[in-house]
Structures are given as C-alpha cells and as structure tokens.
C-alpha cells in the first residue's frame, strides 16, 4: 500500500517539529563566536556533531526525529576563540530531493514508502567521527559517507576502496586507542530483514583485516556494541523488523516485550561466524555502551539499560508504548564469561540509579578498564523551570538537563547544571594533556537554551565541575542532535573550518 503523498507547505503538527525541535535547516559559517569565560589554549581542535534535520518538509505525517537529513556542525576551537560551520551531508537523498525540490524519501528505513527508488537511503544522521584523514558520517542502514574535515564537503559514499563486504555499517564503530584500528560491524548486512551480521576490523590506514559473517537469532536493531582486547559483544534491542509489515507501509520496527536482550559474544581476532555465542538477559532496552573490558577471564560491559521501550514512537504489536515522561535509563555492568555453557546471563550490577544516557569515557581508556564515565543526566532536583520551558521544548527526543561525571572507584557523582531553562546534549571529553590522568580534562556539550531559543556550547573543567569554564554563544538555534566527537588539531591532517 503506497503512502499517499501530500505536498505540505508547513511541517507536520507532531511534537518533534515543534518549539526547539523545529528543523533548523541552516547551512553556513559563523566566525568568532561570542565566548564568556576563558577557553584554555590547550583546547585546540574541532568538535564535530551531527543532527537529523530535514532539508525538505517530509510527506510523512509523524516522521520521527531519527529520519531527518544529517547536518554536520563543526566548532573549531583555537587560541581561546571559536569558528563555526554547518553543512548537510550530500547524501543521495539530499542531492536528489534538491533536484526535485521536494521530499522523495518516505518513512524511516522503509523503502516501500519512497517516491523514487534510491540506491542508498542513508540520512547520514547518527554519528560523525574522524578516521584515516576523513570524517565518516554514519547511519546504521548504509555505508558511511566520507567528508573533508576542513570544508565539510561530501567526498562520497565510503566503501573503503571496495573492501566493505556489508551493505551496512554501524553508527558506533570503536577506535582502538593503542592500535588505531577501527572495529565495526553491520547488521541486516545482506539487505533489509536479513539476520546476517558482518563484523570487521580496519587498520588505521584503511585495510580490512577481519571479516566474519554471523547470523543473529532475531532480526532486531543492533545500534551500539562493545569491544575489549579480545572480544566483541553485540547487544540486540528487542525492536524487530518484519518485511511484510514494511510492504504494507507499516513501521520499520516493532517493540517485542517477549524477547530477551541477546548479547552476541565473538572473539575479536581470528574468529569464524560459528564461534558466536548468543547470551540472554531479561527483556529490556539496551542503550548506549560506556565501555567494555576484560578481567579474570570475564568480559564486563558497562551499558545504559531501560526497563521501557526508549523508542516509544515504535510501539509493540498491540500499539502500546510507554509514556515518554516515565522512561529512564540507568548504568549497568554486565559480566559475561565467554566460555560459559549456560547462555542465561547472571543479573547485571546496577552502577548508577539516576536517569542517564549518551555516555562517554576518556577514550584513551577505550577497551580496557575505565574508572570514569561522563553522560547526560536528568536531575529532577536541579531546578529546571518546567513552566517556562514546557511550551517550547518540543518532543520526540530524550531530554536531559545536566551533565554527569561518575568516578567508578569512589562512586562520586559530579553534576553540572547548565541553567534552569537549559537542556544538554551528548558531551565529548578532551583530556587536559596527552599525559593527563584518566578523566582529567574538559567536557564539551551543546546546550539548548529555551529562554533565548538559541544554542550554546558549554565547556566544563572536570576539576571544577559545577561552574562552566566557558560558554560559547551561537546566534542560531541548532536542532537537538545525536552523536559527535572531538578531534585534536594535532591528530588532524588538515586544519579545521
Ligand atoms: C538511533 C538513532 C538513529 C537510528 C537508530 O540513537 C538508532 C539511536 C538518528 O538515527 O537510525
Ligand atoms: Fe547512538
């Protein structure tokens, strides 16, 4: 049943298009942003992040936030001053919709609802990271797009010189801080609805060294994953795909409250697909991974878990989904013995019972035992002025009013509250120096200011976490985004924007 396409002249009335969530659609450059406080000279590099931001008004009535076109923001920080640049990734969708001067792509990851046939449906809207001299703009349904980090020009779709064996590439690849390898995978790797997962490892100069095909027990979303020195772990979100439903014009995903959370565990090197073990844990929503490491033969995975369907806009078969105000995620530590024959995992350990997501660590500790976590936090005691902000917050995204820093050795939780009319987006951690202790440095995070309806970049010193080190003011509003990364100038082959 094809979707009836109405040429709209305004965005749909749905909450994800209202208030601060109204698409921004701005491309351009702003030099010398206003800065209050002082940005230390040591912070020298570029903060890249991506937001889903529809270029054209969609013809889908309730188009979710996750279906917007990827727009990359770059904040180049040098000598205490900040230049800003923002560009759409020139995906096939963006280019062809510009030619047609209207939306052509239909529902989120449902090609049966499109106005034209696309070769690649990527919106490139979920993560942006620097690898082998290029930016990769990722969406988990496609290969990444490759961008010039200094101009944000789109170079093209990235098939790694023909080496990419999979039709898909995760938005959460991991970089090994020791070897510089990129460790990644694709799910539904042989096309929509296929249970095939393709795991791979890429050397810092772009050569594929490990390619392993495995088969998942269900066709569910594998959004993030975990990597240690010797293992990789694939958590499956109980949101499942059904091609027949998609052909009827239905949703890409359906929440299945009867499924366990599967954790696929595979040796990181030299494995075959049949080596994978699918462990099980009771039904829940596995969110973003903080980090994973090995200790005494066990694999520990620190991950955000919610007991509710975080993607409430994709309900279960009966149409049930939770009230978004009641969704919360906590930090848990799973302990997996990869040699175990009992595939039911022991209960995970609760490490932080405060509503938090979008975790980061000091990436120098990636894949080994970390002691610091940084994240977005919803702190109901912090003093948010709810009556002031409610009319303009919009909806369809998870709100967080604070940043958190958890020291896992002492369980000390530091909180940064950006203000009573402010929400924070995913932070990025910048170490104070190359030799700084783990977790000693700065957090950068975009902040939505609902009083001015403008965006701000807050910089917080981990040694003085309650007050901002600096606030950078944008003269525009950026739509809330997903993921991003800090790239130090010394690590980038060409200069920033
Ligand atoms: C996520 C985001 C996506 C997506 C799948 O945050 C999962 C999770 C922005 O798009 O397509
Ligand atoms: Fe994500």
């Amino acid at each position: 049943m094809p979707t009836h396409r109405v040429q709209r002249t305004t965005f749909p009335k749905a909450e994800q298009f209202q208030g601060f969530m109204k698409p921004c659609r701005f491309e351009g450059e702003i030099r010398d942003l206003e800065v209050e406080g002082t940005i230390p000279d040591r912070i020298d590099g570029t903060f890249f992040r991506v937001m889903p931001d529809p270029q054209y008004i969609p013809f889908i009535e309730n188009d979710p936030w996750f279906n917007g076109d990827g727009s990359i923001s770059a904040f180049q920080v040098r000598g205490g001053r900040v230049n800003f640049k923002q560009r759409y990734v020139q995906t096939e969708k963006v280019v062809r919709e510009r030619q047609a001067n209207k939306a052509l792509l239909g529902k989120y990851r449902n090609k049966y609802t499109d106005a034209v046939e696309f070769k690649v449906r990527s919106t490139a809207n979920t993560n942006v990271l620097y690898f082998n001299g290029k930016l990769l703009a990722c969406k988990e349904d496609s290969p990444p797009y490759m961008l010039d980090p200094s101009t944000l020009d789109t170079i093209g779709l990235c098939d790694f010189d023909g080496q990419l064996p999979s039709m898909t590439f995760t938005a959460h690849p991991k970089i090994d801080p020791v070897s510089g390898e990129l460790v990644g995978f694709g799910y539904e790797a042989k096309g929509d609805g296929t249970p095939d997962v393709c795991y791979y490892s890429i050397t810092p100069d772009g050569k594929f060294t490990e390619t392993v095909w495995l088969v998942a027990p269900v066709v569910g979303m594998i959004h993030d994953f975990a990597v240690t020195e010797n293992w990789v772990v694939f958590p499956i979100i109980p949101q499942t795909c059904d091609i027949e439903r998609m052909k009827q014009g239905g949703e890409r995903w359906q929440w299945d409250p009867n499924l366990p959370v599967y954790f696929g565990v595979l040796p990181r090197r030299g494995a075959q697909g049949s080596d994978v073990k699918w462990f099980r844990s009771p039904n829940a929503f596995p969110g973003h991974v903080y980090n994973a490491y090995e200790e005494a033969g066990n694999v520990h995975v620190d991950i955000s878990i919610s007991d509710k369907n975080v993607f409430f806009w994709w309900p279960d078969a009966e149409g049930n989904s939770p009230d978004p105000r009641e969704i919360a995620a906590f930090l848990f530590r799973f302990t997996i013995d990869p040699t175990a024959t009992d595939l039911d995992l022991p209960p995970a350990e609760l490490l932080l019972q405060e509503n938090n997501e979008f975790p980061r660590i000091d990436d120098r500790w990636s894949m080994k035992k970390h002691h610091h976590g940084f994240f977005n936090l919803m702190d109901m005691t912090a003093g948010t002025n709810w009556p002031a902000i409610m009319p303009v917050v919009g909806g369809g995204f998870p709100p967080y009013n604070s940043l958190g820093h958890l020291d896992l050795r002492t369980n000390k939780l530091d909180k940064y509250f950006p203000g009573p009319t402010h929400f924070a987006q995913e932070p990025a951690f910048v170490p104070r120096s190359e030799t700084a202790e783990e977790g000693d440095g700065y957090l950068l995070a975009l902040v939505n200011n609902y009083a001015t309806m403008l965006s701000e970049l807050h910089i917080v010193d981990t040694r003085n976490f309650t007050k901002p080190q600096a606030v950078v003011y944008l003269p525009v509003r950026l739509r809330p985004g997903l993921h991003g990364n800090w790239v130090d100038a010394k690590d980038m082959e060409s200069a920033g924007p």
Side-chain angles (χ1 to χ4, degrees):
M1 187 174 60
T3 309
H4 183 57
R5 284 189 291 276
V6 177
Q7 187 62 52
R8 298 178 155 279
T9 57
T10 58
F11 280 99
K13 292 284 168 269
E15 59 178 3
Q16 62 270 29
F17 296 108
Q18 303 303 314
F20 215 93
M21 286 296 279
K22 208 172 177 61
C24 152
R25 306 200 288 167
F26 162 81
E27 286 187 287
E29 276 184 61
I30 305 165
R31 300 247 151 202
D32 202 22
L33 294 176
E34 286 189 89
V35 179
E36 233 162 15
T38 50
I39 304 176
D41 284 346
R42 153 70 197 107
I43 302 185
D44 185 13
T46 306
F47 174 50
F48 297 99
R49 53 80 76 168
V50 62
M51 61 182 174
D53 193 24
Q55 173 189 224
Y56 281 95
I57 298 169
F59 55 82
I60 301 297
E61 181 63 32
N62 201 16
D63 204 30
W65 175 47
F66 282 8
N67 206 27
D69 296 295
S71 180
I72 311 284
S73 320
F75 295 83
Q76 189 204 11
V77 184
R78 171 157 282 183
R81 300 170 69 196
V82 185
N83 291 336
F84 173 74
K85 183 177 281 187
Q86 185 161 281
R87 301 272 308 270
Y88 277 111
V89 182
Q90 297 296 302
T91 58
E92 181 185 341
K93 173 183 189 297
V94 160
V95 170
R96 290 177 64 185
E97 291 188 348
R98 245 176 230 199
Q99 286 162 355
N101 200 33
K102 63 179 180 188
L104 297 172
L105 188 125
K107 293 181 84 157
Y108 174 91
R109 292 188 64 184
N110 184 341
K111 64 185 174 193
Y112 304 104
T113 62
D114 292 347
V116 299
E117 200 172 316
F118 288 91
K119 285 203 266 309
V120 172
R121 291 182 91 254
S122 176
T123 47
N125 70 3
T126 313
N127 196 0
V128 55
L129 66 141
Y130 182 78
F131 179 68
N132 193 17
K134 303 289 190 301
L135 287 180
L136 300 180
C138 299
K139 177 79 174 179
E140 65 196 43
D141 66 356
S142 300
Y145 275 89
M146 207 161 36
L147 278 71
D148 181 316
S150 56
T151 63
L152 301 184
D153 284 342
T154 301
I155 298 162
L157 204 63
C158 180
D159 69 353
F160 298 89
D161 301 316
Q163 296 171 94
L164 184 65
S166 161
M167 292 174 71
T168 56
F169 185 100
T170 178
H172 286 288
K174 310 285 179 241
I175 307 286
D176 185 323
V178 177
S179 69
E181 292 165 293
L182 182 152
V183 185
F185 72 98
Y187 72 95
E188 296 189 36
K190 293 185 179 172
D192 279 344
T194 59
D196 305 271
V197 176
C198 186
Y199 159 73
Y200 31 81
S201 198
I202 313 175
T203 61
D205 57 352
K207 295 197 179 53
F208 276 61
T209 53
E210 308 274 340
T211 298
V212 183
W213 285 92
L214 42 135
V215 178
V218 290
V219 185
M221 182 192 273
I222 312 181
H223 177 63
D224 199 349
F225 82 133
V227 182
T228 68
E229 233 181 279
N230 297 296
W231 301 93
V232 287
V233 182
F234 305 100
I236 306 184
I237 300 172
Q239 282 277 4
T240 59
C241 164
D242 172 28
I243 295 289
E244 288 312 312
R245 182 177 67 236
M246 286 165 59
K247 285 184 179 165
Q248 301 298 312
E251 294 300 320
R252 182 63 167 70
W253 299 113
Q254 188 173 81
W255 176 252
D256 188 341
N258 300 313
L259 279 183
V261 177
Y262 288 101
F263 288 85
V265 178
L266 183 78
R268 178 171 162 191
R269 300 187 195 276
Q272 299 194 319
S274 54
D275 295 334
V276 70
K277 271 190 192 175
W278 293 100
F279 291 92
R280 293 178 296 258
S281 178
N283 182 270
F285 187 105
H288 288 110
V289 171
Y290 283 66
N291 190 37
Y293 62 93
E294 289 162 41
E295 206 170 57
N298 289 321
V299 174
H300 296 284
V301 180
D302 286 8
I303 181 172
S304 281
I305 299 285
S306 175
D307 62 349
K308 297 201 169 62
N309 171 17
V310 173
F311 297 161
F312 59 87
W313 54 91
W314 292 314
D316 67 18
E318 275 76 55
N320 299 316
S321 58
D323 179 341
R325 289 167 302 188
E326 287 171 5
I327 298 171
F330 302 142
L331 167 58
F332 284 87
R333 175 167 294 169
F334 283 84
T335 296
I336 308 174
D337 172 4
T339 66
T341 48
D342 179 358
L343 295 179
D344 287 307
L345 289 175
E349 181 189 357
L350 178 59
L351 296 186
L352 179 63
Q353 195 169 13
E354 295 217 33
N355 183 8
N356 76 94
E357 243 289 1
F358 294 98
R360 304 306 297 261
I361 60 158
D362 181 334
D363 286 330
R364 296 172 300 167
W365 267 260
S366 187
M367 308 181 188
K368 57 190 181 203
K369 185 168 183 176
H370 61 286
H371 308 89
H372 292 266
F374 304 98
F375 37 80
N376 289 144
L377 191 66
M378 181 50 99
D379 177 4
M380 297 309 281
T381 68
T384 294
N385 184 346
W386 294 100
I389 72 168
M390 281 309 275
V392 289
V393 165
F397 81 110
Y400 298 98
N401 66 359
S402 303
L403 299 174
H405 171 198
L406 181 64
D407 184 329
L408 288 158
R409 286 167 306 201
T410 60
N411 274 335
K412 184 165 169 281
L413 174 63
D414 289 341
K415 297 175 180 179
Y416 171 70
F417 180 56
T421 58
H422 305 61
F423 281 174
Q425 301 182 35
E426 183 192 66
F429 175 78
V430 183
R432 194 174 306 278
S433 73
E434 274 174 77
T435 54
E437 278 179 43
E438 183 193 351
D440 181 25
Y442 303 92
L443 269 201
L444 275 59
L446 263 179
V447 166
N448 317 332
N449 183 333
Y450 298 103
T452 61
M453 292 302 276
L454 300 171
S455 297
E456 302 168 358
L457 182 70
H458 287 217
I459 302 177
V460 188
D461 188 329
T462 59
R463 292 186 190 176
N464 184 14
F465 206 67
T466 51
K467 292 269 178 320
Q469 172 71 34
V471 176
V472 183
Y473 294 93
L474 280 156
V476 293
R477 173 183 55 82
L478 308 187
R479 202 175 190 222
L482 274 306
H483 303 291
N485 288 283
W486 171 260
V487 185
D488 235 81
K490 66 171 167 21
D491 298 328
M492 229 182 343
E493 279 164 17
S494 49

